[in-house]
Amino acid sequence: MRFFIDTADIAEIRKLDEYGMVDGVTTNPSLVAKSGRNFIDTIKEITGFVKGPVSAEVIATDAAQMIEEGKKLAAIAPNVTVKLPLTWEGLKACRSFAEQGIMTNVTLCFSAAQALLAAKAGATFISPFVGRLDDIGHQGMGLISEIRRIYDNYRYPTQILVASVRHTNHILEAAAIGADVATLPPAVVWQMAKHALTDKGLETFLADWAKTGQKI
Ligand code: G3P
């Protein structure tokens, strides 16, 4: 499973990159606002060291403007993925980028019907938001299974990019279902390695080793 990092915080991306955990990056307008930095500069800097897909989202709401903005974003680096909202205008822009060979990430997906439309529009990635569905009492992971089944039935090449991930279980369930990618907030990635028995076991090994008086 590929891990994208869901942040516009460059220091966080660099830290995780040292561990080989960054297969790509996703940003959105809220994450850019949170970083407090210039959007274009941020995407330039990220694509300077991340070789996998880096999602940069358009702000326009009509297809013609989305295409204009998307072209500017795609010109930053060949691995920029134009992020488009799942609206009819976004789908129209998605089709246009597919024809131009520009990668797209269709975002704000909350239903299988929307995911089917994105695949038909030639999206490179579809981003179903599991956490936000869970938040309103729906089964976010149920949507991932449903999309997986539909895409497999018709061999759609659109990749399922699980978004709005809140915890390790989301990642594990998405991996078991066979989602192609999960985009993860840095804190969720760091949490994954933690286990009380690992800490306790290491403490015991080191204490026992100290008793041997040996060195490696
Ligand atoms: O980038 C889209 C997505 O991952 C947002 O997550 O936590 O704002 O629902 P969240």
Side-chain angles (χ1 to χ4, degrees):
M1 176 180 234
R2 273 171 300 148
F3 283 4
F4 289 179
I5 307 303
D6 201 21
T7 187
D9 184 330
I10 292 171
E12 288 285 356
I13 301 167
R14 283 194 188 279
K15 260 191 268 167
L16 283 164
D17 199 31
E18 286 177 30
Y19 298 86
M21 296 298 160
V22 183
D23 299 312
V25 170
T26 53
T27 64
N28 65 37
S30 306
L31 292 171
V32 172
K34 193 173 158 198
S35 78
R37 288 203 45 197
N38 176 273
F39 178 36
I40 303 293
D41 291 349
T42 301
I43 298 298
K44 266 187 199 153
E45 198 173 330
I46 298 172
T47 53
F49 67 98
V50 172
K51 295 299 154 218
V54 175
S55 290
E57 189 159 342
V58 300
I59 299 305
T61 52
D62 69 286
Q65 285 284 344
M66 284 178 184
I67 293 168
E68 289 250 313
E69 289 180 3
K71 276 185 187 163
K72 281 188 201 159
L73 296 172
I76 296 174
N79 56 329
V80 168
T81 303
V82 179
K83 207 171 177 188
L84 302 157
L86 211 154
T87 58
W88 280 111
E89 292 299 298
L91 292 171
K92 193 177 187 182
C94 178
R95 168 53 55 203
S96 162
F97 286 121
E99 281 160 9
Q100 297 173 62
I102 292 173
M103 288 192 293
T104 52
N105 174 0
V106 177
T107 189
L108 291 168
C109 170
F110 294 95
S111 77
Q114 291 179 321
L116 178 55
L117 291 176
K120 288 184 67 63
T124 313
F125 299 100
I126 181 70
S127 288
F129 279 32
V130 293
R132 291 193 196 183
L133 279 170
D134 290 353
D135 290 347
I136 58 160
H138 289 240
Q139 293 285 338
M141 234 11 97
L143 175 59
I144 303 303
S145 301
E146 210 180 342
I147 300 173
R148 181 73 286 158
R149 233 178 9 256
I150 292 168
Y151 282 10
D152 287 351
N153 281 347
Y154 297 96
R155 296 192 171 80
Y156 285 124
T158 301
Q159 297 170 56
I160 303 173
L161 198 176
V162 180
S164 187
V165 167
R166 304 271 200 260
H167 46 70
T168 303
N169 271 351
H170 275 153
I171 304 164
L172 298 181
E173 287 174 41
I177 292 165
D180 303 280
V181 193
T183 189
L184 312 173
V188 174
V189 186
W190 293 119
Q191 180 63 36
M192 286 177 79
K194 286 189 189 150
H195 202 291
L197 291 179
T198 304
D199 296 343
K200 192 166 174 272
L202 183 59
E203 205 181 302
T204 310
F205 284 159
L206 294 180
D208 289 343
W209 178 256
K211 288 178 210 155
T212 71
Q214 298 181 50
K215 275 203 169 80
I216 297 176

